[in-house]
Amino acid sequence: MGRKRTKSGKIRLAEVAELAGVSPITASRFFRNPEALSVAKRTRVESAARELGYVPNLAARALASQRTEVIGVLIPSLTNNVFSDVLRGIYDASEGSRYSIQLSNTRYSILQEEKLLRLFLAQKPAGLIVTGIDQTTESRTMLEAADCPIMQIMEIGPNPIDMMIGFSHYDAARAAIAHLFDQGHRRIGFVGARMDPRVQRRLDGYGAAMKEAGLHDQRLIVTTATPTSVTLGGALFADLLAREPDIDAVFCANDDLALGVLFECRRRDIAVPDQIAIVGFNDLEFMASAVPTLTSVRTNRYEMGSTAAAMLIEAIEGKRPEQPVLDLGFTVIERQSSQTQRQAASPRSPEWAPAVQNDSVTNDP
Amino acid sequence: MGRKRTKSGKIRLAEVAELAGVSPITASRFFRNPEALSVAKRTRVESAARELGYVPNLAARALASQRTEVIGVLIPSLTNNVFSDVLRGIYDASEGSRYSIQLSNTRYSILQEEKLLRLFLAQKPAGLIVTGIDQTTESRTMLEAADCPIMQIMEIGPNPIDMMIGFSHYDAARAAIAHLFDQGHRRIGFVGARMDPRVQRRLDGYGAAMKEAGLHDQRLIVTTATPTSVTLGGALFADLLAREPDIDAVFCANDDLALGVLFECRRRDIAVPDQIAIVGFNDLEFMASAVPTLTSVRTNRYEMGSTAAAMLIEAIEGKRPEQPVLDLGFTVIERQSSQTQRQAASPRSPEWAPAVQNDSVTNDP
DNA sequence: AGGAACGTTGACAGCGCTACCAGCAACGAC
DNA sequence: GTCGTTGCTGGTAGCGCTGTCAACGTTCCT
């Protein structure tokens, strides 16, 4: 009958092995651990595989080996720019590795996260990336019991489940407020939307800084559970102004809100930064380009994603990092929107020039 | 010895079947086609599965059935807002279905796309979503030979591989230019970046409209292969102005560029729309919020993703749509940035108000 | 020279599920 | 009463790959 062919006409490992003149198991090893083969067989299998155009059947491999080569990723939003940068890092780092990414959207719900976690874990992923440190206790239990490496990203905190990579949103917010204090601002408002745990911690950092300076005032804080948007930034700022017309600065929980505030200032002919300073968070690309250029807290999102995926893959392959918690820090990028008159008088870049960024107040741990 | 347990301690279908007092194959059917079972057995299997907390092993299922429940998605960019909206639609529509999404990033390279396609096809996906209509001939051959439904998204054109959903970028650009003509503009510049095929077709639409009006001038067109950004919008606009100071409008290939142009106008004290009108493309959220509010061409991105996934799943399950090509149309959203003095004199929304959108020039096929 | 140690290879036996087809009961048509 | 026909159920036989462990040849040491 000659050599058997798989029903679908696809090449199997057995065919490769036959052509190479080795046993199937040896051919199998070639794909998983080539170093274990003698050079002679290695080249024979390699050329046989190439000649036949062999592609391994992942389902069969997963079934036989009792594990998959899938990294599960749980993020709260698919559309938030912040997460797309992180995601790009994750995908870039996973490319070229044998692992593929399985992505799911928790929509900022830890209950949804728990549900998805259960789904993921049931398929024995090779590793898992989850967002933040605020899982349900049930989720935490499952993650701790999981027999694969776990990476928590976006922020750092106590009691990592396994590995953790991010930065302190609390400290970042404090640094932003410190910068505003430096520039002489005192009545600093806070504008926040969505209020997920990380935004909440930024608010906490803001609150702590204000309290220490004896400047805290609950009425300076405007937040909403509504998803963030530029338009919302303008609306929240309008609320803030209506309540507290004497504010001299606004710290926005993210850059979209900051842009909305800027537009609202423009609508009302409020001079930025002379009448009101604006500071955003994340340092999205447009911040450097706005008029005036907008101060923001830069976070290393792409690096966070790529490092997380790279570390996770290392851990999957047995090389656990000596430092399981990595603080990627942040940088307050000071731009025109928060610089006082005196400093703006000798601008580092002329007003009309394509916005140039000047880094400062770095926190690189 | 009692009942056998899987090595990992997980519940297998056989255990469920045993508890339910049916054969494994009957239990299997319960999960794939419950209607085929008698009501009695159906409930027995269901409660047995629940009691044991059974979760099917997808790898075994894929191996035995020779097909996966994976939908492959190939998009050019993970960070472009346009695609994140589409993706969200795809993920939302796939949720609740049995299918999972396998995402890959082609980085705007059709060679990379071909490579990824080969990878995907080798794993026999249940269906495939690819971006655009400009595949390599090799890719096209593979897709046509694939034994799963294929969905092309983002635009429509002749010769669909299988199914197609999108809109005409050419027509959308023409509609935008027609609107500018309506408003009395004649020297209309084009600013484009990245220049992927869809941006190219917008440029073609612009060119055709200008030619027909006898206003075409190659010097009005500024493009670059560089990835798009707000900052780049400002820079390209600066180039355009340097070359053609007498332009009275700019059509931007996307909204980020438009925002950059707006900021650059502000930097140079150019009045918008009085001196120069601005029209963007995609109608991202911030366009309605800018000062002045920015005219744009709205596209139905989320709907595109969700409909594509829903139609694909239907097709996978044998219910092919009677109409395999779906035109989702577009809408020119006219805002302050392109409305002439006369009309602005009686604004539909006061200048200072939170931006309100007024839809018009709809193309809903 | 004998044996241990190492590097390399192969046989066997599944992994958990489903395709295929056969079997059986219940029912209606002729 | 016999013969389909339909609806449901089960047995058999893998899907393509890898874990385990034994066996082989070679080298190096004593």
Side-chain angles (χ1 to χ4, degrees):
Chain A
M1 286 296 183
R3 81 177 54 158
K4 287 184 298 185
R5 265 288 161 76
T6 175
K7 211 179 294 177
S8 56
K10 289 205 71 67
I11 307 298
R12 284 173 310 172
L13 190 56
E15 271 97 301
V16 176
E18 189 179 335
L19 180 61
V22 300
S23 72
I25 189 63
T26 300
S28 167
R29 262 191 283 264
F30 168 76
F31 292 100
R32 290 173 295 144
N33 185 18
E35 286 75 35
L37 298 201
S38 63
V39 180
K41 305 229 165 177
R42 201 184 307 174
T43 50
R44 292 238 300 282
V45 175
E46 179 168 23
S47 64
R50 202 202 327 279
E51 185 175 330
L52 296 172
Y54 171 71
V55 180
N57 179 322
L58 264 34
R61 180 179 285 179
L63 181 59
S65 67
Q66 295 283 59
R67 57 199 159 72
T68 62
E69 286 167 350
V70 170
I71 293 174
V73 177
L74 289 172
I75 56 166
S77 163
L78 244 29
T79 35
N80 189 323
N81 287 313
V82 170
F83 293 110
S84 31
D85 285 337
V86 175
L87 263 189
R88 193 162 47 87
I90 292 174
Y91 273 90
D92 282 3
S94 74
E95 215 161 275
S97 83
R98 62 201 304 161
Y99 302 93
S100 66
I101 300 298
Q102 191 66 48
L103 179 66
S104 259
N105 178 359
T106 67
R107 294 170 201 182
Y108 290 98
S109 154
I110 55 173
L111 260 39
Q112 177 72 2
E113 184 184 53
E114 183 181 313
K115 198 180 124 200
L116 292 168
L117 217 43
R118 218 181 292 280
L119 231 62
F120 273 27
L121 252 11
Q123 298 309 323
K124 305 194 200 199
L128 229 34
I129 297 179
V130 299
T131 301
I133 60 180
D134 301 86
Q135 285 76 30
T136 64
T137 53
E138 182 71 12
S139 292
R140 222 193 135 87
T141 307
M142 286 193 288
L143 286 169
E144 279 164 353
D147 64 345
C148 68
I150 311 287
M151 176 67 82
Q152 289 170 288
I153 59 168
M154 296 312 288
E155 59 180 320
I156 52 171
N159 310 322
I161 294 171
D162 183 3
M163 292 175 289
M164 191 178 261
I165 179 164
F167 65 96
S168 164
H169 292 250
Y170 180 91
D171 290 348
R174 293 199 60 144
I177 302 306
H179 161 65
L180 284 170
F181 285 162
D182 276 356
Q183 301 292 315
H185 301 286
R186 291 293 174 268
R187 294 287 291 167
I188 304 170
F190 180 95
V191 170
R194 171 118 268 159
M195 300 316 290
D196 68 54
R198 287 162 294 288
V199 173
Q200 186 59 49
R201 279 185 268 278
R202 287 173 218 158
L203 172 54
D204 293 346
Y206 157 88
M210 293 294 277
K211 277 201 188 88
E212 281 177 22
L215 296 169
H216 191 261
D217 180 351
Q218 195 60 41
R219 295 156 46 88
L220 290 169
I221 298 170
V222 181
T223 64
T224 170
T226 310
T228 192
S229 73
V230 177
T231 306
L232 185 61
L236 293 177
F237 176 62
D239 288 355
L240 178 59
L241 266 189
R243 199 197 296 170
E244 297 291 311
D246 65 335
I247 55 171
D248 57 17
V250 188
F251 174 49
C252 303
N254 67 50
D255 288 342
D256 285 348
L257 296 175
L259 185 60
V261 171
L262 175 65
F263 285 140
E264 190 64 27
C265 285
R266 180 113 176 76
R267 240 172 247 125
R268 293 167 181 253
D269 265 324
I270 295 171
V272 176
D274 296 354
Q275 289 174 264
I276 288 187
I278 303 176
V279 174
F281 200 97
N282 282 326
D283 196 32
L284 298 186
E285 183 266 331
F286 63 76
M287 299 296 273
S289 193
V291 183
T293 58
L294 292 165
T295 296
S296 193
V297 181
R298 178 174 297 171
T299 58
N300 306 297
R301 297 182 295 283
Y302 177 84
E303 197 190 352
M304 188 144 58
S306 62
T307 313
M311 275 176 65
L312 188 66
I313 289 174
E314 290 274 280
I316 291 168
E317 301 189 335
K319 285 167 290 212
R320 291 197 67 76
E322 65 288 347
Q323 247 313 66
V325 177
L326 190 55
D327 185 344
L328 249 33
F330 54 85
T331 310
V332 178
I333 308 290
E334 301 178 9
R335 298 205 185 86
Q336 297 163 348
S337 71
S338 66
Q339 298 191 316
T340 53
Q341 206 62 2
R342 185 177 45 74
Q343 288 169 275
S346 59
R348 286 162 180 161
S349 58
E351 176 97 15
W352 49 267
V356 169
Q357 298 163 181
N358 45 303
D359 294 19
S360 47
V361 196
T362 295
N363 172 332
D364 273 325
Chain B
M1 289 297 184
R3 80 177 54 160
K4 286 183 298 183
R5 264 288 162 77
T6 174
K7 210 180 295 178
S8 57
K10 288 204 71 70
I11 307 297
R12 284 173 309 174
L13 190 55
E15 270 99 300
V16 177
E18 189 179 335
L19 180 62
V22 301
S23 71
I25 189 64
T26 300
S28 167
R29 261 190 284 263
F30 168 76
F31 293 100
R32 290 173 296 143
N33 185 17
E35 287 75 34
L37 297 202
S38 63
V39 180
K41 305 228 165 180
R42 201 185 307 173
T43 51
R44 291 238 301 280
V45 176
E46 180 168 22
S47 63
R50 202 203 326 278
E51 185 175 329
L52 296 172
Y54 171 71
V55 181
N57 180 321
L58 263 36
R61 180 179 285 179
L63 180 60
S65 68
Q66 297 281 58
R67 57 199 158 72
T68 62
E69 286 167 350
V70 170
I71 293 174
V73 177
L74 289 172
I75 56 166
S77 163
L78 243 29
T79 34
N80 189 323
N81 287 313
V82 170
F83 293 110
S84 31
D85 285 337
V86 175
L87 262 189
R88 192 163 47 90
I90 292 174
Y91 273 90
D92 282 2
S94 74
E95 213 161 277
S97 83
R98 62 199 304 161
Y99 301 94
S100 66
I101 301 297
Q102 190 67 48
L103 179 65
S104 259
N105 178 359
T106 68
R107 295 170 202 183
Y108 290 99
S109 154
I110 56 174
L111 259 39
Q112 176 73 2
E113 184 183 54
E114 184 181 312
K115 198 182 123 199
L116 292 168
L117 217 43
R118 217 180 293 278
L119 230 63
F120 273 27
L121 253 12
Q123 299 307 326
K124 306 193 197 198
L128 229 35
I129 298 179
V130 298
T131 302
I133 59 180
D134 301 87
Q135 285 76 30
T136 63
T137 53
E138 182 70 13
S139 293
R140 220 190 138 88
T141 308
M142 287 194 288
L143 287 168
E144 278 164 351
D147 64 345
C148 69
I150 311 287
M151 176 66 82
Q152 289 169 287
I153 60 168
M154 296 313 287
E155 60 180 321
I156 52 173
N159 309 321
I161 294 172
D162 184 3
M163 293 175 289
M164 192 178 261
I165 179 165
F167 65 98
S168 164
H169 293 249
Y170 180 92
D171 290 348
R174 293 199 59 143
I177 302 305
H179 161 65
L180 284 170
F181 286 162
D182 277 356
Q183 301 292 314
H185 301 287
R186 291 295 173 266
R187 294 287 290 168
I188 304 170
F190 180 94
V191 170
R194 173 119 266 162
M195 300 315 289
D196 68 53
R198 287 162 294 287
V199 174
Q200 185 60 48
R201 279 186 267 279
R202 288 174 217 157
L203 172 55
D204 293 346
Y206 157 88
M210 293 295 276
K211 278 202 187 85
E212 280 175 24
L215 295 169
H216 191 262
D217 180 350
Q218 196 60 42
R219 295 157 45 88
L220 290 169
I221 299 172
V222 181
T223 64
T224 169
T226 311
T228 191
S229 72
V230 176
T231 306
L232 185 60
L236 293 177
F237 176 61
D239 287 354
L240 177 59
L241 267 190
R243 198 197 295 170
E244 296 291 311
D246 66 335
I247 55 171
D248 58 15
V250 188
F251 174 49
C252 302
N254 68 49
D255 288 342
D256 284 349
L257 295 174
L259 185 60
V261 171
L262 176 64
F263 285 141
E264 190 64 28
C265 286
R266 181 110 175 78
R267 239 172 249 126
R268 293 167 180 252
D269 265 324
I270 296 171
V272 177
D274 296 353
Q275 288 174 266
I276 289 188
I278 302 176
V279 173
F281 200 98
N282 282 326
D283 196 32
L284 299 186
E285 184 265 333
F286 63 76
M287 299 295 273
S289 194
V291 183
T293 57
L294 292 166
T295 296
S296 194
V297 181
R298 179 174 296 172
T299 57
N300 307 297
R301 297 182 296 282
Y302 177 84
E303 196 190 353
M304 187 144 58
S306 62
T307 313
M311 275 175 66
L312 189 67
I313 289 173
E314 290 275 281
I316 290 169
E317 301 188 335
K319 285 167 289 210
R320 291 198 66 77
E322 66 286 347
Q323 247 313 66
V325 177
L326 190 54
D327 186 344
L328 249 33
F330 54 84
T331 312
V332 178
I333 308 289
E334 301 177 9
R335 298 205 184 88
Q336 295 164 349
S337 71
S338 66
Q339 299 191 316
T340 53
Q341 205 63 1
R342 185 177 46 73
Q343 288 169 276
S346 60
R348 284 161 179 163
S349 58
E351 175 98 17
W352 49 266
V356 169
Q357 298 161 183
N358 47 303
D359 292 20
S360 48
V361 195
T362 295
N363 173 330
D364 274 324

